[in-house]
Amino acid sequence: MTPSLAPRPRRSFIFTPGLRPEMFPKALASGADIVCVELEDGIAPKDKTEARKRALALFEQPPADDGVERILRINSLRERFGIEDVHAVLTTHTPPPALMMPKVRTPDEVVMLDQLLTEAGHATRLHVIVETNAGLEAAHDLAHCSNRIDALFFGGVDMAAELRCRNAWEPLLYARSRVVHAAAAAGIDAIDVPYLDLNDPDGMRVAAEQARDLGFAGKGSIHPKQIAALNEVFTPSAGQIARARRIIAEFEAADTGLVVIDGKLIEKPVLREMHRIVAVADRMGM
């Protein structure tokens, strides 16, 4: 399996429809850390084939060195459209850098796709959406089943429907926590669901702060005007950045599994989060 990559900023993401490739450059320029080309929910069944063709064409040229992570969201592997998406990815010589897998229920789905990508010689990464009750139950195993996985995404809308609860913070707190814990145990990122009310920027900021404090590395957006606030919420403070750089330097100098900084014992598992903070800082030029 492909080894895990170094942490990178994932404070915000935005979808852009595969059917409309002319919107891709605008999404890349929106300030989002992740741009995801959409083949799933945002594409009508009658347009799936054309969207797939147009979307894959976007990845034929090497991406610009702009710091934006590019992802293609395929359809569920339990559906015909998902199988067709995977076949198209496997047979292209210019696969997307990463695939987002929706409605995942069991690790078998991820393992199968990992093996197919390996057979095809593709280095494509994976992002897994936990938005089904079965997926939530298997969250820990999902996070650990493939070294291609870079992040778990929490899908609140579908999850609320499956759990028969309101799509609100309190009813979904347990589900969100399960996703964060699974991602943390595997050393990967957890990304929260977009806030759906464009007319409530204050509510979105509160939701983003709650997600950040729970352990999410970022949150989705449904419109470019949400991205600046999301990036602000998930960007560490100058003090946090300075501390992260110091901890990394201390570990490198000590070459041990733990160091003592300001009288506090700090063990090696915290290093990944320190590297993620520094990655965000580097993207911001801080």
Side-chain angles (χ1 to χ4, degrees):
M1 290 187 290
T2 307
S4 183
L5 301 182
R8 61 182 300 166
R10 294 190 173 102
R11 301 165 298 169
S12 56
F13 76 87
I14 193 168
F15 287 107
T16 185
L19 198 60
R20 298 188 61 188
E22 71 277 7
M23 296 180 66
F24 189 50
K26 296 178 183 178
L28 292 173
S30 67
D33 287 336
I34 301 173
V35 170
C36 186
V37 182
E38 168 71 317
L39 293 182
E40 196 216 6
D41 286 346
I43 305 296
K46 66 180 180 63
D47 295 323
K48 296 283 191 183
T49 300
E50 184 61 28
R52 182 185 307 116
K53 177 182 176 181
R54 295 181 185 183
L56 286 176
L58 294 172
F59 300 98
E60 290 179 351
Q61 300 300 320
D65 186 17
D66 53 11
V68 181
E69 189 171 7
R70 293 152 168 82
I71 301 177
L72 177 69
R73 179 159 80 166
I74 60 176
N75 290 273
S76 170
L77 294 191
R78 297 175 181 272
E79 301 172 358
R80 173 174 61 88
F81 293 125
I83 298 299
E84 292 173 353
D85 291 341
V86 170
H87 181 264
V89 169
L90 294 175
T91 54
T92 182
H93 295 295
T94 55
L99 298 176
M100 182 181 288
M101 301 178 65
K103 298 179 176 62
V104 177
R105 294 182 176 275
T106 65
D108 292 348
E109 299 170 55
V110 183
V111 172
M112 179 181 70
L113 182 54
D114 182 327
Q115 292 173 343
L116 290 171
L117 290 167
T118 299
E119 185 179 86
H122 292 345
T124 301
R125 308 297 298 172
L126 298 176
H127 296 252
V128 175
I129 308 180
V130 178
E131 55 186 338
T132 68
N133 198 28
L136 184 65
E137 186 67 22
H140 182 273
D141 292 339
L142 283 172
H144 289 81
C145 71
S146 168
N147 285 336
R148 290 181 185 266
I149 300 175
D150 286 331
L152 293 184
F153 284 67
F154 178 67
V157 176
D158 286 346
M159 183 65 72
E162 286 233 343
L163 297 179
R164 299 178 297 232
C165 69
R166 287 189 304 115
N167 181 15
W169 181 259
E170 290 82 3
L172 290 174
L173 179 57
Y174 170 75
R176 276 188 167 91
S177 298
R178 285 281 300 268
V179 173
V180 168
H181 292 181
I188 59 179
D189 287 328
I191 313 295
D192 195 32
V193 66
Y195 191 79
L196 301 180
D197 189 349
L198 277 177
N199 296 317
D200 184 16
D202 293 336
M204 187 204 71
R205 179 176 286 274
V206 169
E209 291 171 348
Q210 289 173 317
R212 176 200 63 198
D213 294 346
L214 192 63
F216 284 96
K219 187 173 178 65
S221 65
I222 61 171
H223 191 279
K225 72 180 185 180
Q226 295 178 317
I227 291 171
L230 292 176
N231 286 347
E232 182 181 338
V233 168
F234 288 98
T235 295
S237 67
Q240 289 173 311
I241 294 169
R243 180 174 179 272
R245 294 192 189 279
R246 181 183 175 193
I247 289 173
I248 292 170
E250 292 279 359
F251 267 104
E252 289 176 350
D255 193 28
T256 63
L258 53 86
V259 297
V260 177
I261 296 179
D262 297 331
K264 294 181 180 180
L265 181 66
I266 299 176
E267 297 181 278
K268 209 161 190 176
V270 305
L271 270 179
R272 186 185 188 282
E273 177 62 13
M274 298 302 103
H275 281 291
R276 189 188 69 80
I277 289 173
V278 169
V280 174
D282 290 344
R283 173 140 164 78
M284 299 297 295
M286 300 170 69

